[in-house]
Structures are given as C-alpha cells and as structure tokens.
Amino acid sequence: MCNKTSLTAGLAAFAALLFAGGYAIADPDKAGKVDFSAMSAEELAEYIILESGGFHLDAAAQEGGSMRARMEQDDMQKACSVVGGGKPDAATLEAVRTAAAASITYPEGGIQLGDWQKGRELSWSGFGFRVGHRTDEHSGNRQPGGNCANCHQKVSDRDGGTLGPDLTGYGKTRGTSDAMLKYVYDVIYNAHAYFPCTQMPRMGANGVLTQEQIADIMAWLLDPESPVNQ
Amino acid sequence: MFKNALLALPVALALSVTADAQKAPEDVLQGLIDSIESTYLTQSEMNIMMMPDSPALWLVDDGRELFHEARGPNNVSLETCDFGKGPGVLEGAFVEFPRYFEDAGRVMDFESRLVHCMQTIQGFTDDDPAIRTKHGNDADITKLQTYVASLSNGYAWNPPMDHPMEQAMRDAGKVIFYRRAGTMDFSCSTCHAATGKRIRASVLPNSNVPEEWTKAVSWPAFRVGHDNVRSAQHRVSECYWQMRHAEPVWGGTGMTAIISYWNDRARGQPAILPDMKR
C-alpha cells in the first residue's frame, strides 16, 4: 500500500508516550493492566488494534506479509477517517487528491478498452483478499474480482448495490474519447484523484486489479456493445 | 414448518409469562416497523412471517435447561452467575452489556461473561467442548446465550457507562467504527452511516438511526442463510472478513470495543431477542 512514514512516526510517538506512563504495551498478557481510561479514544483504538492482541494480526495476507500491514493505516486512510462522519478540511482533501493523482500508473501503449465479457464477470465477483474463518485462496483460476456490483447498480439482470452511484447506461452519454478513457481508468485505479476521501476502493493503487482487468471493466462500462449501454 | 409451529407453541407461551415480555420478538420488531419508515426493517417479508416459528426459540428451551442443570467439574448450575445485575438476575441483563466487571478487571461482552462464569463457577476449561465449541445451534454457548438474551426481549438497550473503562471502550469502539484500513479502505461506517443503502440486494442498517440499529445489533439471531443461530461476535467477524481487515479475536479487546459502541448506538430502543436475519 501507500506511504506509511507519517503513520510510523505517529505510532512511535504514541509508544513513547505510553512508555513514559510506565505501561508495558508490547505484552498482550498485560492488556488488562494498561489503564485504558487514561488514553484518548484515538490512542486506545490504535492500542487495541495494533498492540493489545485484539486482532489476528499475524495471519498471512494474500498480497504477502501479515494482516498487521493491512490494519496499519496509510496516509489516505488516516486523513479520510473522520470519527462521526464527514470530510476533512480543504487543505487535507487537496493533499489526498494530489497524492492520489501521483499514484496512478498507465499501461504501456496507452489506455484501451478490454473485453467487456470478462469485465462483466470481474464487476460481479466479490472474491478476493478475505482472511479469517474462510480465507480466499488466490490461484490461477480464481483471481480477485472487482466487487463493483456490491455498490453499483449497472444492469437490470442482476441486483447491484446502491452505496455508489448507479452506472446503468454509463457509456451511452460519455462516449470513448481519450479523455474519457483516462478519466474512467483513473477513477477505477484511484478515485481519490478526483473525489478525495471517496468511499470507492483504490482498485489499481491497492493492487486489487491489474491494468488488464481495469481495461476489461472499463469495456463493461464504456463499450457500446456492453449490456450496460444497451 | 407446521411441525415446528406446533412445537414452538409452548416456547411462545413460556416467553409470554416472563417479565416485560408480553411481546414476542416479532411483536417488538413490528413496533419498530410501526414507529419509523425503514426499508431495512421491512426488507424480508418472509423472515417476518417465519419469526414465530424461529428455530432460535428451540435454543431458548435448551439453554434454559442447560443453565439450571448442575454441570462441569464442580457439578453446579450457572444460577449464581452475576451478569451485572446481581447473582442469578437474568431479566434485562443482556441489554446491559458490555459491562465492566470488578472480579475480572475488564469490560466484557456477554459471551465473555458467560464463559467466565462457566470457568469460575462450573470449572470448565478452555479445552472442554462446553467452552471450546463456539459455533452453531449445538454449541452450549449458543444455547445459553440465546436463553439469557431471550429474557431481555423488548427491553431497551442500556449498556452502562458509569465506569471509566466502559466509556473508554465505547469511545475507542467509535474510533474503530470510522477507521478506514485494509485492501479496500473500508470501515464499518462505509456501510452503516446512511439510510436505505444496499450491498447488492441487502438493505443495510444505519448506525445513526437507533430504531434500525437495534435490529442490527439484536443477536443472537437465527441466520436463515446459515441455518444456524449466530451471535454478535459472528456478525462482527463476518463484517471484518468482508472488509478485508484482520479478524477480531473472540472475546478480545477489539470485539468488546466494537460491541460497546454498537450497543450504545441502539440505546433506548427495544431489543429483538432472539431475532431472525437473512
């Protein structure tokens, strides 16, 4: 994932603060001995997640490494987590937007629409990256999907969710100009480049989808032949 | 189904004589449906129809027997277990969790407290099936939990906030609820901070609407899709799995903090116990 330097610094400062208070934070057995009520809610939340043994952080993650890395927030996740809801201030949003734009990499030879039929399956599949009682085993014939239909309504044959905007007929009015291809690619790759602190996952920047898979999903959205646009 | 309905009748009758439980779980749900426009509460007509025949009502019966039976290495019942309102007081105890317990020195969710009593009173150890088996209708923990929870049906959620630790866990739980992380940048609030939104065909409950949220946190519930009764911890675990986050440890600090915030968000609204869910 993205830059974790400022987070690491923050955690170090937090650990120092705890240590100064005399708490033995590294030992999960001591979790009950630490004075939770002396911490701020934010400090306690970090302590609970990363230090108290409250989560299975040592489990293996599909992308390599352990689940601890997933639970440590990167800069965007930190900036966009507003307790109680809402968005951060304008300067923070701009910083998130700038970092997102810089995170995007493009296919060699430019952005082209892929295979809408593959895109259809990818947009429906909610498989991948789940860890716990039933861990998703990524393999040659079962790769992570795009999860698009969880939140987006696209066509009438299968029910999509409504957390994200309705994308029915998405390509009809937008066409397939180079500018449009870049925009849709960017939004799938890292939508924060246009909508900082959006709920939309960073499918490219977080390594959920490959450039080729993004091209297939783009075809599902934009290809005039795709049922999305019929 | 017909057979179930017949057999469930004595259970329904037994429920109707408990304190404040003139209402069956489906009546509590109906009261909420009448009080607010909510596509979440009304999303499954079939589940609402099935509630009087809920297999969870069987577990209430089984759990009652288990609770009062002398069991474990110490051969005693759980009748002296203190769920926070005094030894043996079960009515309305379930909706006052999580709670700080002096004898344990920490805030406990209901399931942790139940296990604590099974260990300290009955002498069960972590290796005994009674404690080790945590999942499914056949687990003692599921039966006992469903029984004690049923004695809070219709009671308003009222997790205590007198102890600083209870407040600390609730407040940390709120931060965790809004804390984005993982492969997909999700937090609990991604799905539970707006009204009437759906994941695919499923309508999601809004944590900011207590009349909806009380159903969301009303576990144990018969989970139709699983054909088993599940607990709040199952729900939390499944959400974390879907979020692509690390799994919370059963009975651990993360689980307790999250459930503290959950139940606090439903404060004042009646619990549906046991509930039926998709």
Side-chain angles (χ1 to χ4, degrees), chain B:
Chain B
M1 190 56 68
F2 179 63
K3 184 174 151 214
N4 269 358
L6 273 185
L7 292 171
L9 190 62
V11 179
L13 288 175
L15 271 179
S16 70
V17 297
T18 55
D20 200 47
Q22 298 302 314
K23 291 177 173 177
E26 61 270 24
D27 298 326
V28 177
L29 174 59
Q30 191 57 51
L32 290 162
I33 290 172
D34 294 342
S35 76
I36 185 176
E37 198 72 35
S38 166
T39 50
Y40 169 69
L41 292 175
T42 56
Q43 71 175 305
S44 176
E45 210 175 304
M46 190 180 75
N47 286 359
I48 293 171
M49 265 167 36
M50 283 162 63
M51 274 182 82
D53 304 331
S54 173
L57 298 173
W58 285 99
L59 274 73
V60 171
D61 255 3
D62 292 351
R64 182 187 299 109
E65 259 177 56
L66 268 186
F67 190 90
H68 296 286
E69 189 185 316
R71 300 175 74 224
N74 300 342
N75 199 35
V76 287
S77 78
L78 282 169
E79 285 161 5
T80 58
C81 179
D82 184 354
F83 286 106
K85 296 169 80 75
V89 180
L90 304 183
E91 275 78 13
F94 192 86
V95 290
E96 297 189 16
F97 270 87
R99 174 189 282 275
Y100 180 80
F101 288 90
E102 204 68 54
D103 58 9
R106 66 186 177 99
V107 177
M108 295 170 130
D109 69 308
F110 179 83
E111 212 167 310
S112 297
R113 186 62 184 174
L114 174 62
V115 168
H116 176 87
C117 282
M118 292 169 76
Q119 289 170 331
T120 56
I121 296 171
Q122 296 182 309
F124 285 115
T125 66
D126 286 344
D127 293 333
D128 288 317
I131 285 177
R132 201 181 62 226
T133 310
K134 294 182 167 29
H135 314 295
N137 288 353
D138 293 335
D140 290 352
I141 287 175
T142 312
K143 295 173 184 172
L144 288 164
Q145 184 171 193
T146 308
Y147 164 58
V148 179
S150 76
L151 299 174
S152 283
N153 179 53
Y155 283 68
W157 290 102
N158 185 28
M161 288 295 151
D162 305 321
H163 197 281
M165 292 280 273
E166 291 164 346
Q167 294 172 27
M169 289 303 265
R170 187 262 321 262
D171 295 348
K174 181 175 184 179
V175 174
I176 293 172
F177 195 88
Y178 285 94
R179 185 183 184 277
R180 301 180 68 170
T183 318
M184 307 290 258
D185 304 324
F186 291 150
S187 70
C188 308
S189 68
T190 307
C191 288
H192 300 297
T195 299
K197 296 289 186 184
R198 296 197 325 257
I199 289 249
R200 302 198 188 207
S202 298
V203 185
L204 300 158
N206 184 351
S207 61
N208 298 313
V209 179
E211 294 88 344
E212 277 191 353
W213 196 243
T214 180
K215 177 168 167 61
V217 304
S218 285
W219 300 91
F222 183 73
R223 183 84 193 272
V224 176
H226 291 192
D227 198 26
N228 269 291
V229 172
R230 300 298 191 205
S231 71
Q233 299 203 78
H234 284 103
R235 183 61 265 173
V236 173
S237 278
E238 207 178 322
C239 283
Y240 269 73
W241 178 76
Q242 289 287 16
M243 286 199 290
R244 278 76 175 174
H245 286 201
E247 187 183 19
V249 171
W250 221 254
T253 49
M255 196 69 95
T256 307
I258 293 159
I259 296 175
S260 293
Y261 180 64
W262 267 29
N263 289 359
D264 191 59
R265 295 304 286 169
R267 181 179 297 284
Q269 294 300 322
I272 308 160
L273 295 168
D275 192 21
M276 179 173 277
K277 290 178 167 77
R278 53 178 280 276

Side-chain angles (χ1 to χ4, degrees), chain A residues 1 36-37 41 44-46 48-49 52-57 67 70-71 73 76-77 80-85 124-134 147 149-150 153 159-163 197-199 201-203 206 208, chain B residues 105-106 164-165 168-169 171-176 178-187 189-192 194 196-201 204 208 237-238 240-250 252-255 257-258 261:
Chain A
M1 255 180 275
F36 286 5
S37 59
L44 180 54
E46 292 303 306
I48 284 173
I49 292 170
S52 76
F55 289 82
H56 294 285
L57 301 180
M67 292 301 283
R70 288 225 201 140
M71 296 306 279
Q73 291 177 300
M76 184 290 284
Q77 292 168 336
C80 297
S81 296
V82 180
V83 179
W124 181 253
S125 170
F127 178 81
F129 293 100
R130 292 170 297 196
V131 171
H133 58 286
R134 203 166 69 245
N147 288 264
N150 288 351
Q153 192 71 30
D159 262 341
T162 58
L163 283 164
C197 292
T198 176
Q199 301 289 355
R202 295 168 290 179
M203 293 299 181
N206 273 359
V208 180
Chain B
R106 66 186 177 99
M165 292 280 273
M169 289 303 265
D171 295 348
K174 181 175 184 179
V175 174
I176 293 172
Y178 285 94
R179 185 183 184 277
R180 301 180 68 170
T183 318
M184 307 290 258
D185 304 324
F186 291 150
S187 70
S189 68
T190 307
C191 288
H192 300 297
K197 296 289 186 184
R198 296 197 325 257
I199 289 249
R200 302 198 188 207
L204 300 158
N208 298 313
S237 278
E238 207 178 322
Y240 269 73
W241 178 76
Q242 289 287 16
M243 286 199 290
R244 278 76 175 174
H245 286 201
E247 187 183 19
V249 171
W250 221 254
T253 49
M255 196 69 95
I258 293 159
Y261 180 64

